[in-house]
Amino acid sequence: MHAPSPMALLLIAIVVLVLFGRGKVSSLMGEVGKGITAFKKGVKEGGEEAANADVTEPNTPADIEKARAELAAERAKLEADRARLAADGTLRDVTPTDPNKL
């Protein structure tokens, strides 16, 4: 695929200018410029934050045990909820047993 010729680009620019008007095109270009500036600023700040980030120490055995205990408590809670829902499942079935009532 080849690039459009300069004449084709000029024709496209004229059509856009005629369709949208000079004021609309200039305000749109201003917004695009602001967006590019904000993007560049964000990339620069993100790079600075990554460079300034403190390296955290590896997890200690106490941290690992605490996380395991939290996971076990969460798992027990989920299993209790699952058992409660299974027990309530018989109450939730509202399908008529008589097929003629459908």
Side-chain angles (χ1 to χ4, degrees):
M1 181 157 207
H2 64 284
S5 68
M7 192 63 160
L9 291 176
L10 181 64
L11 181 64
I12 291 171
I14 291 172
V15 168
V16 168
L17 189 60
V18 167
L19 288 177
F20 297 110
R22 184 174 158 237
K24 187 75 169 177
V25 172
S26 65
S27 67
L28 180 66
M29 289 298 117
E31 293 297 321
V32 169
K34 289 178 186 176
I36 291 171
T37 303
F39 177 76
K40 287 181 180 179
K41 182 180 177 184
V43 168
K44 181 181 175 187
E45 289 174 359
E48 290 172 357
E49 287 177 7
N52 295 336
D54 294 332
V55 177
T56 59
E57 295 181 18
N59 292 331
T60 62
D63 292 339
I64 294 171
E65 287 302 318
K66 181 180 175 184
R68 284 182 180 160
E70 290 173 358
L71 287 173
E74 184 69 24
R75 185 178 295 126
K77 180 183 172 188
L78 289 174
E79 287 176 1
D81 287 345
R82 184 181 299 140
R84 183 183 51 81
L85 289 174
D88 290 345
T90 57
L91 300 175
R92 294 177 189 249
D93 187 16
V94 293
T95 306
T97 56
D98 186 12
N100 294 328
K101 292 184 179 180
L102 294 176

